[in-house]
Amino acid sequence: MTAPILLTGITGFIAKRIALDLLEAGHAVRGSLRSAGRQEEVRAALAAHVSDAAALDRLSFVTLDLADDAGWAEALSGAAALVHTASPFPMVQPKNEDDIIRPAVDGTLRALRAAQGAGVTRVIVTSSVVAIEATDKPQGAAYTEADWSELDHPLSSPYYKSKTLAERAAWDFVAEHPEMQLTTINPTLVLGQPLDANYGTSLQLIERVLSGSDPMLPNIGFGVVDVADVSAAHVAALDRPETAGRRFIACGTSATMPEIAKYLKAKYPDKKIATGVAPKLLLRILSLFDASIKTVMPGLGRIPHYDTSAAEQDLGITFVPWETAVDRASAAVIAKA
């Protein structure tokens, strides 16, 4: 059997898809989870999608925790590469930003140190565009991989800081250990079709819009990328050693929340989906009492755009537009309801 790839956080929305694509490409996958009890969930999700059931013979599991050294050396022993997707993703911003920053930074460094100690030099890390976009650009200019988020920027919430500092720590680590070959994938908002109904908070935005729980929506914009394209970028980077030392933005196209709501309303006319735009003054008032609203205020009226030419040219990815990712995500949310 080929040497396995250690895939951290295999229960995650993105990681499950990466596991599937790695298995389909002939790789062996050693997936890490915090609870051994979720092994069968992952195996069943993959079994429903693999083209050959024998591929599951190349799937194994280890139990790891981002906050604990136990098991990391053994998990990376004999591995061909590390694909590190595991990172804390809070439903609400913590009162103490270190509650999310420290696990993200320390977990990334723990994984890299263990890889380096085991002689595993090829590493792919799932970062995010939030490590890129919290910096001012000229009107209409697209964000590129050369951009880095500024920690004191109005957009820099604790989550932004956690991803920025974790990725910075990764690049600092490999600078000190030049034998390490790191590539980061920086996706925008990831939607698309999950492999099973256990997708956690990943499709929360689509769930919220479809529920009609909000009478109006904030006029905030973001890039959207399909999970299948994010996974394809990870696998392509892994298979192309010349991509080491580089970051790659993964994004289809950008949209606003009201645009997505109008699209879903046309697709599901029987659902009570709100499409109105919440006035900025109202949101300012509500933000005094609701921390989740306060978090989105710096992004009001903002529609960021991203230059994905590097991923298209050097990873061979053709990104689908946001409408396709929303179609796939909404179908999954409705099927689960």
PDB file of all heavy atoms in Angstrom, residues 228-267:
ATOM      1  N   ALA A 228     -16.236  21.242  -3.846  1.00  0.00           N
ATOM      2  CA  ALA A 228     -15.547  20.340  -4.779  1.00  0.00           C
ATOM      3  C   ALA A 228     -14.318  21.017  -5.377  1.00  0.00           C
ATOM      4  O   ALA A 228     -13.277  20.379  -5.576  1.00  0.00           O
ATOM      5  CB  ALA A 228     -16.498  19.904  -5.890  1.00  0.00           C
ATOM      6  N   ASP A 229     -14.415  22.313  -5.652  1.00  0.00           N
ATOM      7  CA  ASP A 229     -13.281  23.044  -6.203  1.00  0.00           C
ATOM      8  C   ASP A 229     -12.188  23.262  -5.148  1.00  0.00           C
ATOM      9  O   ASP A 229     -10.996  23.231  -5.462  1.00  0.00           O
ATOM     10  CB  ASP A 229     -13.740  24.391  -6.757  1.00  0.00           C
ATOM     11  CG  ASP A 229     -14.622  24.238  -7.986  1.00  0.00           C
ATOM     12  OD1 ASP A 229     -14.578  23.181  -8.633  1.00  0.00           O
ATOM     13  OD2 ASP A 229     -15.374  25.193  -8.289  1.00  0.00           O
ATOM     14  N   VAL A 230     -12.606  23.494  -3.899  1.00  0.00           N
ATOM     15  CA  VAL A 230     -11.627  23.643  -2.819  1.00  0.00           C
ATOM     16  C   VAL A 230     -10.842  22.350  -2.643  1.00  0.00           C
ATOM     17  O   VAL A 230      -9.610  22.355  -2.512  1.00  0.00           O
ATOM     18  CB  VAL A 230     -12.325  24.028  -1.496  1.00  0.00           C
ATOM     19  CG1 VAL A 230     -11.313  24.083  -0.355  1.00  0.00           C
ATOM     20  CG2 VAL A 230     -13.026  25.363  -1.639  1.00  0.00           C
ATOM     21  N   SER A 231     -11.559  21.234  -2.653  1.00  0.00           N
ATOM     22  CA  SER A 231     -10.892  19.939  -2.522  1.00  0.00           C
ATOM     23  C   SER A 231      -9.950  19.688  -3.692  1.00  0.00           C
ATOM     24  O   SER A 231      -8.808  19.243  -3.508  1.00  0.00           O
ATOM     25  CB  SER A 231     -11.941  18.828  -2.448  1.00  0.00           C
ATOM     26  OG  SER A 231     -11.324  17.560  -2.421  1.00  0.00           O
ATOM     27  N   ALA A 232     -10.421  19.986  -4.897  1.00  0.00           N
ATOM     28  CA  ALA A 232      -9.580  19.776  -6.083  1.00  0.00           C
ATOM     29  C   ALA A 232      -8.291  20.589  -5.999  1.00  0.00           C
ATOM     30  O   ALA A 232      -7.223  20.130  -6.433  1.00  0.00           O
ATOM     31  CB  ALA A 232     -10.357  20.149  -7.348  1.00  0.00           C
ATOM     32  N   ALA A 233      -8.376  21.782  -5.410  1.00  0.00           N
ATOM     33  CA  ALA A 233      -7.177  22.613  -5.253  1.00  0.00           C
ATOM     34  C   ALA A 233      -6.187  21.963  -4.297  1.00  0.00           C
ATOM     35  O   ALA A 233      -4.970  21.982  -4.540  1.00  0.00           O
ATOM     36  CB  ALA A 233      -7.576  24.003  -4.749  1.00  0.00           C
ATOM     37  N   HIS A 234      -6.673  21.393  -3.211  1.00  0.00           N
ATOM     38  CA  HIS A 234      -5.787  20.701  -2.267  1.00  0.00           C
ATOM     39  C   HIS A 234      -5.089  19.516  -2.932  1.00  0.00           C
ATOM     40  O   HIS A 234      -3.873  19.334  -2.788  1.00  0.00           O
ATOM     41  CB  HIS A 234      -6.588  20.185  -1.072  1.00  0.00           C
ATOM     42  CG  HIS A 234      -6.942  21.228  -0.054  1.00  0.00           C
ATOM     43  ND1 HIS A 234      -7.928  22.162  -0.269  1.00  0.00           N
ATOM     44  CD2 HIS A 234      -6.456  21.477   1.193  1.00  0.00           C
ATOM     45  CE1 HIS A 234      -8.033  22.943   0.799  1.00  0.00           C
ATOM     46  NE2 HIS A 234      -7.138  22.553   1.693  1.00  0.00           N
ATOM     47  N   VAL A 235      -5.855  18.708  -3.638  1.00  0.00           N
ATOM     48  CA  VAL A 235      -5.289  17.510  -4.261  1.00  0.00           C
ATOM     49  C   VAL A 235      -4.300  17.888  -5.355  1.00  0.00           C
ATOM     50  O   VAL A 235      -3.219  17.296  -5.481  1.00  0.00           O
ATOM     51  CB  VAL A 235      -6.411  16.609  -4.814  1.00  0.00           C
ATOM     52  CG1 VAL A 235      -5.822  15.404  -5.553  1.00  0.00           C
ATOM     53  CG2 VAL A 235      -7.324  16.138  -3.687  1.00  0.00           C
ATOM     54  N   ALA A 236      -4.636  18.903  -6.149  1.00  0.00           N
ATOM     55  CA  ALA A 236      -3.732  19.340  -7.213  1.00  0.00           C
ATOM     56  C   ALA A 236      -2.427  19.873  -6.632  1.00  0.00           C
ATOM     57  O   ALA A 236      -1.337  19.592  -7.148  1.00  0.00           O
ATOM     58  CB  ALA A 236      -4.401  20.408  -8.072  1.00  0.00           C
ATOM     59  N   ALA A 237      -2.522  20.648  -5.551  1.00  0.00           N
ATOM     60  CA  ALA A 237      -1.317  21.177  -4.920  1.00  0.00           C
ATOM     61  C   ALA A 237      -0.438  20.042  -4.401  1.00  0.00           C
ATOM     62  O   ALA A 237       0.793  20.070  -4.533  1.00  0.00           O
ATOM     63  CB  ALA A 237      -1.689  22.117  -3.779  1.00  0.00           C
ATOM     64  N   LEU A 238      -1.081  19.046  -3.818  1.00  0.00           N
ATOM     65  CA  LEU A 238      -0.342  17.903  -3.284  1.00  0.00           C
ATOM     66  C   LEU A 238       0.404  17.165  -4.387  1.00  0.00           C
ATOM     67  O   LEU A 238       1.549  16.721  -4.202  1.00  0.00           O
ATOM     68  CB  LEU A 238      -1.319  16.960  -2.581  1.00  0.00           C
ATOM     69  CG  LEU A 238      -0.728  15.783  -1.819  1.00  0.00           C
ATOM     70  CD1 LEU A 238       0.104  16.255  -0.638  1.00  0.00           C
ATOM     71  CD2 LEU A 238      -1.841  14.860  -1.333  1.00  0.00           C
ATOM     72  N   ASP A 239      -0.229  17.049  -5.527  1.00  0.00           N
ATOM     73  CA  ASP A 239       0.362  16.302  -6.635  1.00  0.00           C
ATOM     74  C   ASP A 239       1.355  17.116  -7.462  1.00  0.00           C
ATOM     75  O   ASP A 239       1.996  16.575  -8.366  1.00  0.00           O
ATOM     76  CB  ASP A 239      -0.748  15.780  -7.565  1.00  0.00           C
ATOM     77  CG  ASP A 239      -1.565  14.666  -6.924  1.00  0.00           C
ATOM     78  OD1 ASP A 239      -1.062  14.052  -5.962  1.00  0.00           O
ATOM     79  OD2 ASP A 239      -2.705  14.418  -7.372  1.00  0.00           O
ATOM     80  N   ARG A 240       1.474  18.418  -7.137  1.00  0.00           N
ATOM     81  CA  ARG A 240       2.365  19.274  -7.906  1.00  0.00           C
ATOM     82  C   ARG A 240       3.380  19.918  -6.963  1.00  0.00           C
ATOM     83  O   ARG A 240       3.143  20.996  -6.422  1.00  0.00           O
ATOM     84  CB  ARG A 240       1.565  20.355  -8.652  1.00  0.00           C
ATOM     85  CG  ARG A 240       0.527  19.762  -9.593  1.00  0.00           C
ATOM     86  CD  ARG A 240      -0.246  20.814 -10.365  1.00  0.00           C
ATOM     87  NE  ARG A 240      -1.328  20.206 -11.110  1.00  0.00           N
ATOM     88  CZ  ARG A 240      -2.000  20.789 -12.097  1.00  0.00           C
ATOM     89  NH1 ARG A 240      -1.661  22.017 -12.470  1.00  0.00           N
ATOM     90  NH2 ARG A 240      -2.981  20.171 -12.706  1.00  0.00           N
ATOM     91  N   PRO A 241       4.518  19.293  -6.766  1.00  0.00           N
ATOM     92  CA  PRO A 241       5.506  19.804  -5.813  1.00  0.00           C
ATOM     93  C   PRO A 241       5.992  21.208  -6.139  1.00  0.00           C
ATOM     94  O   PRO A 241       6.466  21.928  -5.253  1.00  0.00           O
ATOM     95  CB  PRO A 241       6.649  18.780  -5.895  1.00  0.00           C
ATOM     96  CG  PRO A 241       6.433  18.031  -7.161  1.00  0.00           C
ATOM     97  CD  PRO A 241       4.960  18.029  -7.396  1.00  0.00           C
ATOM     98  N   GLU A 242       5.849  21.619  -7.387  1.00  0.00           N
ATOM     99  CA  GLU A 242       6.300  22.966  -7.756  1.00  0.00           C
ATOM    100  C   GLU A 242       5.433  24.062  -7.136  1.00  0.00           C
ATOM    101  O   GLU A 242       5.791  25.248  -7.189  1.00  0.00           O
ATOM    102  CB  GLU A 242       6.319  23.131  -9.285  1.00  0.00           C
ATOM    103  CG  GLU A 242       4.970  23.074  -9.968  1.00  0.00           C
ATOM    104  CD  GLU A 242       4.518  21.667 -10.344  1.00  0.00           C
ATOM    105  OE1 GLU A 242       5.080  20.689  -9.791  1.00  0.00           O
ATOM    106  OE2 GLU A 242       3.613  21.552 -11.193  1.00  0.00           O
ATOM    107  N   THR A 243       4.308  23.685  -6.541  1.00  0.00           N
ATOM    108  CA  THR A 243       3.454  24.677  -5.885  1.00  0.00           C
ATOM    109  C   THR A 243       3.897  24.957  -4.448  1.00  0.00           C
ATOM    110  O   THR A 243       3.297  25.801  -3.775  1.00  0.00           O
ATOM    111  CB  THR A 243       1.979  24.221  -5.868  1.00  0.00           C
ATOM    112  OG1 THR A 243       1.862  23.027  -5.096  1.00  0.00           O
ATOM    113  CG2 THR A 243       1.469  23.965  -7.277  1.00  0.00           C
ATOM    114  N   ALA A 244       4.904  24.265  -3.968  1.00  0.00           N
ATOM    115  CA  ALA A 244       5.408  24.518  -2.613  1.00  0.00           C
ATOM    116  C   ALA A 244       5.896  25.958  -2.500  1.00  0.00           C
ATOM    117  O   ALA A 244       6.459  26.519  -3.450  1.00  0.00           O
ATOM    118  CB  ALA A 244       6.531  23.552  -2.275  1.00  0.00           C
ATOM    119  N   GLY A 245       5.655  26.568  -1.328  1.00  0.00           N
ATOM    120  CA  GLY A 245       6.066  27.932  -1.091  1.00  0.00           C
ATOM    121  C   GLY A 245       5.062  28.973  -1.562  1.00  0.00           C
ATOM    122  O   GLY A 245       5.363  30.169  -1.561  1.00  0.00           O
ATOM    123  N   ARG A 246       3.866  28.518  -1.929  1.00  0.00           N
ATOM    124  CA  ARG A 246       2.888  29.453  -2.496  1.00  0.00           C
ATOM    125  C   ARG A 246       1.535  29.364  -1.805  1.00  0.00           C
ATOM    126  O   ARG A 246       1.186  28.344  -1.193  1.00  0.00           O
ATOM    127  CB  ARG A 246       2.718  29.186  -3.995  1.00  0.00           C
ATOM    128  CG  ARG A 246       3.997  29.399  -4.784  1.00  0.00           C
ATOM    129  CD  ARG A 246       3.788  29.125  -6.247  1.00  0.00           C
ATOM    130  NE  ARG A 246       2.774  30.002  -6.834  1.00  0.00           N
ATOM    131  CZ  ARG A 246       2.281  29.831  -8.052  1.00  0.00           C
ATOM    132  NH1 ARG A 246       2.714  28.838  -8.813  1.00  0.00           N
ATOM    133  NH2 ARG A 246       1.373  30.659  -8.525  1.00  0.00           N
ATOM    134  N   ARG A 247       0.752  30.435  -1.917  1.00  0.00           N
ATOM    135  CA  ARG A 247      -0.636  30.499  -1.469  1.00  0.00           C
ATOM    136  C   ARG A 247      -1.524  30.509  -2.706  1.00  0.00           C
ATOM    137  O   ARG A 247      -1.135  31.033  -3.761  1.00  0.00           O
ATOM    138  CB  ARG A 247      -0.912  31.785  -0.678  1.00  0.00           C
ATOM    139  CG  ARG A 247       0.099  32.134   0.363  1.00  0.00           C
ATOM    140  CD  ARG A 247      -0.071  33.585   0.825  1.00  0.00           C
ATOM    141  NE  ARG A 247      -1.072  33.737   1.876  1.00  0.00           N
ATOM    142  CZ  ARG A 247      -1.624  34.890   2.211  1.00  0.00           C
ATOM    143  NH1 ARG A 247      -1.315  35.998   1.554  1.00  0.00           N
ATOM    144  NH2 ARG A 247      -2.509  34.956   3.203  1.00  0.00           N
ATOM    145  N   PHE A 248      -2.728  29.964  -2.567  1.00  0.00           N
ATOM    146  CA  PHE A 248      -3.671  29.953  -3.686  1.00  0.00           C
ATOM    147  C   PHE A 248      -5.066  30.334  -3.197  1.00  0.00           C
ATOM    148  O   PHE A 248      -5.626  29.662  -2.326  1.00  0.00           O
ATOM    149  CB  PHE A 248      -3.727  28.571  -4.348  1.00  0.00           C
ATOM    150  CG  PHE A 248      -2.475  28.195  -5.086  1.00  0.00           C
ATOM    151  CD1 PHE A 248      -1.487  27.454  -4.451  1.00  0.00           C
ATOM    152  CD2 PHE A 248      -2.264  28.592  -6.400  1.00  0.00           C
ATOM    153  CE1 PHE A 248      -0.316  27.102  -5.118  1.00  0.00           C
ATOM    154  CE2 PHE A 248      -1.096  28.250  -7.074  1.00  0.00           C
ATOM    155  CZ  PHE A 248      -0.118  27.502  -6.434  1.00  0.00           C
ATOM    156  N   ILE A 249      -5.621  31.392  -3.771  1.00  0.00           N
ATOM    157  CA  ILE A 249      -6.993  31.777  -3.463  1.00  0.00           C
ATOM    158  C   ILE A 249      -7.941  30.845  -4.205  1.00  0.00           C
ATOM    159  O   ILE A 249      -7.770  30.580  -5.400  1.00  0.00           O
ATOM    160  CB  ILE A 249      -7.264  33.237  -3.871  1.00  0.00           C
ATOM    161  CG1 ILE A 249      -6.451  34.191  -2.989  1.00  0.00           C
ATOM    162  CG2 ILE A 249      -8.751  33.567  -3.781  1.00  0.00           C
ATOM    163  CD1 ILE A 249      -6.536  35.649  -3.421  1.00  0.00           C
ATOM    164  N   ALA A 250      -8.965  30.360  -3.490  1.00  0.00           N
ATOM    165  CA  ALA A 250      -9.997  29.516  -4.092  1.00  0.00           C
ATOM    166  C   ALA A 250     -11.329  30.257  -4.004  1.00  0.00           C
ATOM    167  O   ALA A 250     -11.859  30.469  -2.916  1.00  0.00           O
ATOM    168  CB  ALA A 250     -10.083  28.168  -3.374  1.00  0.00           C
ATOM    169  N   CYS A 251     -11.851  30.661  -5.162  1.00  0.00           N
ATOM    170  CA  CYS A 251     -13.109  31.407  -5.189  1.00  0.00           C
ATOM    171  C   CYS A 251     -13.762  31.250  -6.559  1.00  0.00           C
ATOM    172  O   CYS A 251     -13.069  31.208  -7.581  1.00  0.00           O
ATOM    173  CB  CYS A 251     -12.863  32.895  -4.899  1.00  0.00           C
ATOM    174  SG  CYS A 251     -14.368  33.908  -4.899  1.00  0.00           S
ATOM    175  N   GLY A 252     -15.078  31.160  -6.557  1.00  0.00           N
ATOM    176  CA  GLY A 252     -15.821  31.165  -7.811  1.00  0.00           C
ATOM    177  C   GLY A 252     -16.114  32.603  -8.197  1.00  0.00           C
ATOM    178  O   GLY A 252     -15.332  33.260  -8.860  1.00  0.00           O
ATOM    179  N   THR A 253     -17.242  33.120  -7.723  1.00  0.00           N
ATOM    180  CA  THR A 253     -17.601  34.517  -7.936  1.00  0.00           C
ATOM    181  C   THR A 253     -18.138  35.084  -6.631  1.00  0.00           C
ATOM    182  O   THR A 253     -18.382  34.351  -5.682  1.00  0.00           O
ATOM    183  CB  THR A 253     -18.668  34.650  -9.048  1.00  0.00           C
ATOM    184  OG1 THR A 253     -19.722  33.711  -8.811  1.00  0.00           O
ATOM    185  CG2 THR A 253     -18.066  34.392 -10.422  1.00  0.00           C
ATOM    186  N   SER A 254     -18.317  36.400  -6.584  1.00  0.00           N
ATOM    187  CA  SER A 254     -18.774  37.059  -5.367  1.00  0.00           C
ATOM    188  C   SER A 254     -20.256  37.412  -5.457  1.00  0.00           C
ATOM    189  O   SER A 254     -20.798  37.636  -6.548  1.00  0.00           O
ATOM    190  CB  SER A 254     -17.955  38.333  -5.116  1.00  0.00           C
ATOM    191  OG  SER A 254     -16.589  38.017  -4.898  1.00  0.00           O
ATOM    192  N   ALA A 255     -20.910  37.477  -4.297  1.00  0.00           N
ATOM    193  CA  ALA A 255     -22.329  37.805  -4.224  1.00  0.00           C
ATOM    194  C   ALA A 255     -22.613  38.473  -2.895  1.00  0.00           C
ATOM    195  O   ALA A 255     -21.804  38.413  -1.962  1.00  0.00           O
ATOM    196  CB  ALA A 255     -23.182  36.546  -4.376  1.00  0.00           C
ATOM    197  N   THR A 256     -23.774  39.110  -2.783  1.00  0.00           N
ATOM    198  CA  THR A 256     -24.218  39.669  -1.519  1.00  0.00           C
ATOM    199  C   THR A 256     -25.296  38.765  -0.925  1.00  0.00           C
ATOM    200  O   THR A 256     -25.912  37.961  -1.636  1.00  0.00           O
ATOM    201  CB  THR A 256     -24.804  41.081  -1.694  1.00  0.00           C
ATOM    202  OG1 THR A 256     -26.008  40.993  -2.475  1.00  0.00           O
ATOM    203  CG2 THR A 256     -23.800  41.999  -2.373  1.00  0.00           C
ATOM    204  N   MET A 257     -25.537  38.925   0.368  1.00  0.00           N
ATOM    205  CA  MET A 257     -26.594  38.137   0.996  1.00  0.00           C
ATOM    206  C   MET A 257     -27.955  38.380   0.343  1.00  0.00           C
ATOM    207  O   MET A 257     -28.684  37.420   0.068  1.00  0.00           O
ATOM    208  CB  MET A 257     -26.653  38.420   2.496  1.00  0.00           C
ATOM    209  CG  MET A 257     -25.657  37.612   3.314  1.00  0.00           C
ATOM    210  SD  MET A 257     -26.004  37.628   5.095  1.00  0.00           S
ATOM    211  CE  MET A 257     -27.444  36.561   5.185  1.00  0.00           C
ATOM    212  N   PRO A 258     -28.346  39.639   0.076  1.00  0.00           N
ATOM    213  CA  PRO A 258     -29.627  39.838  -0.609  1.00  0.00           C
ATOM    214  C   PRO A 258     -29.679  39.189  -1.990  1.00  0.00           C
ATOM    215  O   PRO A 258     -30.726  38.680  -2.398  1.00  0.00           O
ATOM    216  CB  PRO A 258     -29.729  41.366  -0.702  1.00  0.00           C
ATOM    217  CG  PRO A 258     -28.944  41.864   0.468  1.00  0.00           C
ATOM    218  CD  PRO A 258     -27.773  40.921   0.559  1.00  0.00           C
ATOM    219  N   GLU A 259     -28.562  39.195  -2.720  1.00  0.00           N
ATOM    220  CA  GLU A 259     -28.542  38.535  -4.035  1.00  0.00           C
ATOM    221  C   GLU A 259     -28.796  37.043  -3.891  1.00  0.00           C
ATOM    222  O   GLU A 259     -29.560  36.451  -4.670  1.00  0.00           O
ATOM    223  CB  GLU A 259     -27.185  38.762  -4.715  1.00  0.00           C
ATOM    224  CG  GLU A 259     -27.012  40.110  -5.355  1.00  0.00           C
ATOM    225  CD  GLU A 259     -25.644  40.263  -5.995  1.00  0.00           C
ATOM    226  OE1 GLU A 259     -24.649  39.801  -5.426  1.00  0.00           O
ATOM    227  OE2 GLU A 259     -25.585  40.878  -7.077  1.00  0.00           O
ATOM    228  N   ILE A 260     -28.140  36.430  -2.917  1.00  0.00           N
ATOM    229  CA  ILE A 260     -28.335  34.993  -2.696  1.00  0.00           C
ATOM    230  C   ILE A 260     -29.774  34.712  -2.286  1.00  0.00           C
ATOM    231  O   ILE A 260     -30.399  33.735  -2.746  1.00  0.00           O
ATOM    232  CB  ILE A 260     -27.345  34.485  -1.635  1.00  0.00           C
ATOM    233  CG1 ILE A 260     -25.918  34.505  -2.202  1.00  0.00           C
ATOM    234  CG2 ILE A 260     -27.708  33.075  -1.177  1.00  0.00           C
ATOM    235  CD1 ILE A 260     -24.842  34.154  -1.211  1.00  0.00           C
ATOM    236  N   ALA A 261     -30.337  35.574  -1.437  1.00  0.00           N
ATOM    237  CA  ALA A 261     -31.724  35.386  -0.997  1.00  0.00           C
ATOM    238  C   ALA A 261     -32.689  35.494  -2.177  1.00  0.00           C
ATOM    239  O   ALA A 261     -33.630  34.681  -2.300  1.00  0.00           O
ATOM    240  CB  ALA A 261     -32.064  36.415   0.069  1.00  0.00           C
ATOM    241  N   LYS A 262     -32.495  36.481  -3.038  1.00  0.00           N
ATOM    242  CA  LYS A 262     -33.369  36.628  -4.213  1.00  0.00           C
ATOM    243  C   LYS A 262     -33.253  35.418  -5.137  1.00  0.00           C
ATOM    244  O   LYS A 262     -34.251  34.963  -5.720  1.00  0.00           O
ATOM    245  CB  LYS A 262     -33.016  37.912  -4.961  1.00  0.00           C
ATOM    246  CG  LYS A 262     -33.430  39.178  -4.223  1.00  0.00           C
ATOM    247  CD  LYS A 262     -32.963  40.426  -4.953  1.00  0.00           C
ATOM    248  CE  LYS A 262     -33.336  41.678  -4.165  1.00  0.00           C
ATOM    249  NZ  LYS A 262     -32.835  42.922  -4.809  1.00  0.00           N
ATOM    250  N   TYR A 263     -32.050  34.913  -5.273  1.00  0.00           N
ATOM    251  CA  TYR A 263     -31.843  33.734  -6.106  1.00  0.00           C
ATOM    252  C   TYR A 263     -32.587  32.528  -5.531  1.00  0.00           C
ATOM    253  O   TYR A 263     -33.267  31.790  -6.268  1.00  0.00           O
ATOM    254  CB  TYR A 263     -30.341  33.447  -6.212  1.00  0.00           C
ATOM    255  CG  TYR A 263     -29.994  32.257  -7.057  1.00  0.00           C
ATOM    256  CD1 TYR A 263     -29.962  32.344  -8.448  1.00  0.00           C
ATOM    257  CD2 TYR A 263     -29.693  31.020  -6.474  1.00  0.00           C
ATOM    258  CE1 TYR A 263     -29.641  31.242  -9.233  1.00  0.00           C
ATOM    259  CE2 TYR A 263     -29.367  29.916  -7.253  1.00  0.00           C
ATOM    260  CZ  TYR A 263     -29.346  30.042  -8.631  1.00  0.00           C
ATOM    261  OH  TYR A 263     -29.041  28.943  -9.400  1.00  0.00           O
ATOM    262  N   LEU A 264     -32.474  32.343  -4.221  1.00  0.00           N
ATOM    263  CA  LEU A 264     -33.149  31.218  -3.576  1.00  0.00           C
ATOM    264  C   LEU A 264     -34.663  31.399  -3.568  1.00  0.00           C
ATOM    265  O   LEU A 264     -35.411  30.415  -3.681  1.00  0.00           O
ATOM    266  CB  LEU A 264     -32.618  31.036  -2.155  1.00  0.00           C
ATOM    267  CG  LEU A 264     -31.200  30.471  -2.056  1.00  0.00           C
ATOM    268  CD1 LEU A 264     -30.704  30.517  -0.608  1.00  0.00           C
ATOM    269  CD2 LEU A 264     -31.141  29.041  -2.584  1.00  0.00           C
ATOM    270  N   LYS A 265     -35.126  32.644  -3.448  1.00  0.00           N
ATOM    271  CA  LYS A 265     -36.566  32.902  -3.493  1.00  0.00           C
ATOM    272  C   LYS A 265     -37.141  32.515  -4.846  1.00  0.00           C
ATOM    273  O   LYS A 265     -38.233  31.933  -4.939  1.00  0.00           O
ATOM    274  CB  LYS A 265     -36.829  34.380  -3.204  1.00  0.00           C
ATOM    275  CG  LYS A 265     -38.311  34.750  -3.186  1.00  0.00           C
ATOM    276  CD  LYS A 265     -39.050  34.035  -2.061  1.00  0.00           C
ATOM    277  CE  LYS A 265     -40.510  34.460  -2.008  1.00  0.00           C
ATOM    278  NZ  LYS A 265     -41.267  33.728  -0.959  1.00  0.00           N
ATOM    279  N   ALA A 266     -36.415  32.805  -5.920  1.00  0.00           N
ATOM    280  CA  ALA A 266     -36.862  32.424  -7.262  1.00  0.00           C
ATOM    281  C   ALA A 266     -36.834  30.905  -7.435  1.00  0.00           C
ATOM    282  O   ALA A 266     -37.683  30.330  -8.128  1.00  0.00           O
ATOM    283  CB  ALA A 266     -35.981  33.098  -8.313  1.00  0.00           C
ATOM    284  N   LYS A 267     -35.883  30.275  -6.775  1.00  0.00           N
ATOM    285  CA  LYS A 267     -35.738  28.815  -6.893  1.00  0.00           C
ATOM    286  C   LYS A 267     -36.775  28.077  -6.047  1.00  0.00           C
ATOM    287  O   LYS A 267     -37.273  27.019  -6.432  1.00  0.00           O
ATOM    288  CB  LYS A 267     -34.319  28.421  -6.464  1.00  0.00           C
ATOM    289  CG  LYS A 267     -33.949  26.961  -6.685  1.00  0.00           C
ATOM    290  CD  LYS A 267     -32.494  26.733  -6.304  1.00  0.00           C
ATOM    291  CE  LYS A 267     -32.091  25.272  -6.465  1.00  0.00           C
ATOM    292  NZ  LYS A 267     -32.071  24.860  -7.875  1.00  0.00           N
TER     293      LYS A 267
END
